Amino acid sequence: MAHQLLSCYDLHISFTLSDGQVDEAVRGIAFSLDETETLGIVGESGCGKTMTALAVMRLVPLPGKITAGSVFFKENNLLTLSEQQMRTIRGRHISMIFQDPMTSLNPVYTCRSQIKEAIVHHGIARTSDADALIESILHEVGIPDPKRTADSYPHQLSGGMRQRVMIAMALVCNPRLLIADEPTTALDVTVQARILDLLHGLQSKKSMGMILITHNLGIVGDIADKVIVMYAGEVMEYAPVRELFDRPMHPYTVNLLETIPAIAARKERLTVIPGEVPTLRNIPPGCPFHPRCNRSMPRCSTEHPALSTPGTNHQVRCLLYA
Ligand code: SF4
């Protein structure tokens, strides 16, 4: 029987700016993840996906603050732990990889010394065993010459190789949860597919949980077990992946699915969603998606939809289903 790994309840993240105004970046997010599941979090830039992930790591940047909610990792509410306790969890039990490895890898240290730092910090192996462990994890992430790559500096590697080194660094301590934040966005399309295959394979081989954050709903179709669609800091739809693809309910999800290019369809133009994601300062009243929604009704501009559960395990925030 699968055990719950992570559960997040009613999470709120706010930014108090110098003029005193409080902007809510994430409003009432809730989800759960079993030990070997993959959760996809999807939405356009600025929807609150990365902030949600950073809240799990307790790394929300100032002046941001988690103002309410709880984040249980197994039986521990991470939001009540001390910073010292969190340091023993980050990188050891929960790891995160980011969009651009160049901003996460230190350009003045070799890959070996950066991976070794994680091993030593968490006491994973004796110093004498660390080199063998580093080369073994680099081999595991598909690097053909682990010794030479370990002794390289990040700028000496291609974008795909750097992302593999980041994945190796994230996995060297054998975490139970991997958070991958847009891990392929900065890469060429052909490399993207290989990195996604690698992540999917490693997740199942190591029986770990994974949160995959992406703006591309097409990416989660093959990898995720369930999906959250976020918009303007809120969950718009939350369902098992097949259910979401077969029976999308929220107009935003339907629009996102229509933006996935289908080679067989041979469309002349790609579908786009009109308008822009609102900034935190300009979240519209009522349903935040109403200015862009092609099914908007008069009440949508005044009534804020609650999350309802019209199907088993299928939640949607839309007045069409209220
Ligand atoms: Fe569209 Fe109204 Fe549903 Fe919002 S509540 S998604 S505006 S139909």
Side-chain angles (χ1 to χ4, degrees):
M1 199 181 100
H3 294 281
Q4 203 158 79
L5 182 66
L6 187 78
S7 48
C8 182
Y9 301 103
D10 196 28
L11 185 69
H12 289 255
I13 303 169
S14 294
F15 284 77
T16 305
L17 302 182
S18 51
D19 61 4
Q21 176 148 346
V22 179
D23 292 337
E24 271 211 291
V26 169
R27 296 174 284 151
I29 298 287
F31 60 85
S32 64
L33 185 68
D34 284 346
E35 279 172 334
T36 57
E37 268 186 327
T38 295
L39 169 74
I41 304 184
V42 181
E44 293 162 280
S45 299
C47 285
K49 312 180 299 285
T50 296
M51 279 303 144
T52 302
L54 290 173
V56 172
M57 298 291 280
R58 283 260 307 272
L59 288 174
V60 172
L62 290 170
K65 195 174 167 199
I66 300 168
T67 48
S70 55
V71 178
F72 279 89
F73 178 67
K74 297 184 179 170
E75 65 281 1
N76 290 317
N77 182 358
L78 299 180
L79 304 190
T80 62
L81 299 185
S82 67
E83 182 49 34
Q84 196 180 1
Q85 287 170 312
M86 274 310 295
R87 270 190 232 121
T88 65
I89 289 178
R90 279 190 216 112
R92 173 69 185 89
H93 301 286
I94 308 176
S95 278
M96 188 160 175
I97 51 176
F98 298 90
Q99 186 179 120
D100 182 3
M102 272 317 259
T103 58
S104 309
L105 292 169
N106 191 325
V108 300
Y109 292 106
T110 62
C111 299
R112 184 187 299 280
S113 61
Q114 295 184 62
I115 301 174
K116 193 177 277 183
E117 193 181 324
I119 295 173
V120 170
H121 175 75
H122 291 294
I124 295 302
R126 289 192 305 240
T127 314
S128 54
D129 299 330
D131 285 324
L133 182 58
I134 291 165
E135 287 165 29
S136 149
I137 190 78
L138 287 174
H139 175 72
E140 211 174 338
V141 299
I143 285 178
D145 188 346
K147 188 171 182 336
R148 190 162 63 87
T149 302
D151 293 322
S152 303
Y153 291 88
H155 74 271
Q156 296 174 307
L157 305 175
S158 67
M161 291 282 267
R162 283 197 290 264
Q163 196 56 292
R164 284 177 195 268
V165 170
M166 276 299 301
I167 295 170
M169 201 185 308
L171 297 185
V172 72
C173 296
N174 207 17
R176 293 299 81 215
L177 173 64
L178 177 68
I179 302 175
D181 185 4
E182 304 267 11
T184 59
T185 303
L187 303 174
D188 294 341
V189 178
T190 49
V191 183
Q192 284 184 11
R194 275 185 248 135
I195 295 290
L196 286 170
D197 275 353
L198 173 70
L199 281 174
H200 191 33
L202 288 168
Q203 185 259 341
S204 105
K205 181 177 166 193
K206 292 179 176 291
S207 298
M208 61 184 175
M210 180 158 79
I211 297 178
L212 176 65
I213 295 172
T214 174
H215 60 269
N216 184 347
L217 192 46
I219 282 180
V220 300
D222 295 330
I223 294 185
D225 297 295
K226 50 192 182 183
V227 183
I228 286 179
V229 177
M230 283 188 77
Y231 189 78
E234 291 184 304
V235 172
M236 293 292 127
E237 190 158 5
Y238 179 25
V241 69
R242 283 278 56 90
E243 166 80 10
L244 190 98
F245 274 68
D246 293 346
R247 276 176 292 280
M249 290 184 172
H250 198 284
Y252 181 51
T253 311
V254 173
N255 286 170
L256 286 176
L257 285 167
E258 287 168 353
T259 63
I260 301 172
I263 293 169
R266 289 189 167 273
K267 283 197 217 160
E268 301 232 326
R269 281 169 175 266
L270 289 177
T271 307
V272 292
I273 306 175
E276 304 278 340
V277 175
T279 62
L280 295 184
R281 291 253 155 141
N282 295 309
I283 293 178
C287 169
F289 188 58
H290 85 259
R292 306 174 72 191
C293 180
N294 54 13
R295 299 189 65 188
S296 180
M297 308 169 281
R299 61 194 275 232
C300 298
S301 58
T302 53
E303 237 178 276
H304 182 252
L307 208 54
S308 58
T309 310
T312 316
N313 297 328
H314 197 151
Q315 299 179 351
V316 61
R317 188 186 298 280
C318 174
L319 295 172
L320 292 168
Y321 305 95

